[in-house]
Amino acid sequence: MNGWLPPMLATPTHHRFSDEHWVFERKLDGLRVLSVRDGRHPELWSTDRGRLDDRFPELVTALAELGRTRFVADGEVVAFEGRATSRRRLRARLDRPGGRPPPVPVFYYLFDLLSLDGTRLTGQPLRERKCLLRNAFHFHDPLRYSDHWAHHGEVYFRHAREQGWDGVIAKRADSVYKPGLSTDWLSFDCVRDQDFVVGGFTAPQGSRVGFGALLIGYHEGDRLRYAGKVGTGYDRAMLRALRARMDDIRQPRCPFADEVTEPAVQWVRPELVVRVGFAEWTRAGRLRHPRFAGVRTDKTATEVVRETR
């Protein structure tokens, strides 16, 4: 138990439930990492058996200073953009070739303990493993303990959606740790995604470059319906690149069939298609917690409709 092993994986489900025999944890949009220590320096392993020590040296230091001398723990490394976890910021950290890492702070959320002081724990119930985990480390940033709710999965899922989280992981409280996909762990996803057409943009504020937010919509018959604005998920390079593309397709009139009350909007021809993640649709037909996910070059604007899945 002092080396790499395949992680236990959650099965996706659309069924939300509450159950006294289950616990519920926040689903994080990060990088699954196994940490191992056998008396020497801690090691960080990815799910495909790659070493990550040089990518996250501050996590290695934290595990050495705040944990026991022999353990195997499972967790997720994340970066944040505001209160939301950011895969883009984490990728910027991972893609840095050598040298000093970029100034992107990361945090390691531990949620399971597979071995401690040479004793194998994978056969013990999850609740016992989490109790041992809580006491095996002194949790201070960048090392964090992954809290859980008991019983009330539906309430916790509603909370997750309100907070704009990626989802919830439901775990059978007495489950053992078995590598591979398991129905003892289930994934309730909050974040949806679909394609939208860009119809305009707002001006950047403060030190922001390019633009403030994209105004997006979808086709309903011959009409372009307004779905809201998306102002997060971009890096500076993408802000500049999108602004350059939109400057080439500006037009004086609003392309949306709905009234748009945003001030100082620059309208564009509805040609640019982007992918957007979001928590849900509001009753008014707007996106809740939208986040830019990328540009689509393989789909025309006329193909974009509201998806019902």
Side-chain angles (χ1 to χ4, degrees), residues 141-180:
D141 285 345
L143 200 62
R144 296 181 175 181
Y145 175 76
S146 182
D147 288 313
H148 64 271
W149 280 32
H151 308 177
H152 305 295
E154 291 158 296
V155 173
Y156 195 49
F157 180 72
R158 288 195 295 270
H159 174 72
R161 294 184 73 165
E162 291 169 358
Q163 296 298 312
W165 295 352
D166 272 31
V168 170
I169 301 295
K171 298 179 178 180
R172 194 180 297 276
D174 63 355
S175 61
V176 299
Y177 192 98
K178 297 178 295 186

Side-chain angles (χ1 to χ4, degrees), residues 289-304:
H289 303 305
R291 175 175 292 271
F292 173 80
V295 176
R296 290 292 299 267
T297 58
D298 58 341
K299 192 172 188 177
T300 63
T302 55
E303 297 177 81
V304 177

Side-chain angles (χ1 to χ4, degrees), residues 174-238:
D174 63 355
S175 61
V176 299
Y177 192 98
K178 297 178 295 186
L181 196 65
S182 173
T183 54
D184 286 338
W185 288 12
L186 301 172
S187 175
F188 303 169
D189 289 339
C190 290
V191 177
R192 311 178 191 181
D193 62 353
Q194 77 156 77
D195 298 326
F196 291 94
V197 180
V198 177
F201 61 92
T202 61
Q205 300 294 322
S207 61
R208 178 111 167 190
V209 300
F211 59 91
L214 297 180
L215 278 63
I216 58 173
Y218 59 91
H219 282 100
E220 185 178 82
D222 294 332
R223 300 190 301 167
L224 185 66
R225 302 301 305 272
Y226 182 57
K229 62 179 182 177
V230 52
T232 60
Y234 316 96
D235 57 22
R236 292 176 69 88
M238 181 57 70

Side-chain angles (χ1 to χ4, degrees), residues 5 18 21 41 45 53 65 68 72 86 98 107 124-125 127 132 149 162 171 201 214 242 246-247 284 307:
L5 80 164
S18 299
H21 302 297
H41 291 294
W45 294 86
D53 308 19
E65 294 177 349
R68 306 275 268 275
V72 179
S86 172
F107 303 89
Q124 295 191 23
R127 273 205 180 104
L132 291 168
W149 280 32
E162 291 169 358
K171 298 179 178 180
F201 61 92
L214 297 180
L242 284 174
M246 292 188 293
D247 281 343
E307 299 175 11

Side-chain angles (χ1 to χ4, degrees), residues 72-142:
V72 179
D74 196 356
E76 190 109 357
V77 175
V78 302
F80 284 92
E81 187 168 359
R83 293 189 305 169
T85 53
S86 172
R87 177 82 63 157
R88 177 188 62 80
R89 297 197 78 209
L90 183 61
R91 176 53 56 189
R93 177 69 179 266
L94 288 167
D95 289 345
R96 184 79 169 187
R100 296 180 60 188
V104 176
V106 294
F107 303 89
Y108 188 24
Y109 283 80
L110 296 181
F111 52 70
D112 215 326
L113 189 63
L114 315 186
S115 176
L116 183 64
D117 298 333
T119 299
R120 184 187 183 103
L121 304 176
T122 53
Q124 295 191 23
L126 173 65
R127 273 205 180 104
E128 294 183 15
R129 299 199 307 272
K130 286 187 73 74
C131 182
L132 291 168
L133 172 66
R134 194 76 173 93
N135 295 309
F137 296 87
H138 299 286
F139 286 97
H140 300 290
D141 285 345

Side-chain angles (χ1 to χ4, degrees), residues 26-45:
R26 177 181 178 178
K27 181 180 180 181
L28 296 161
D29 185 22
L31 179 68
R32 188 78 174 271
V33 172
L34 195 75
S35 52
V36 180
R37 190 181 189 189
D38 188 17
R40 296 180 292 276
H41 291 294
E43 301 172 353
L44 300 177
W45 294 86

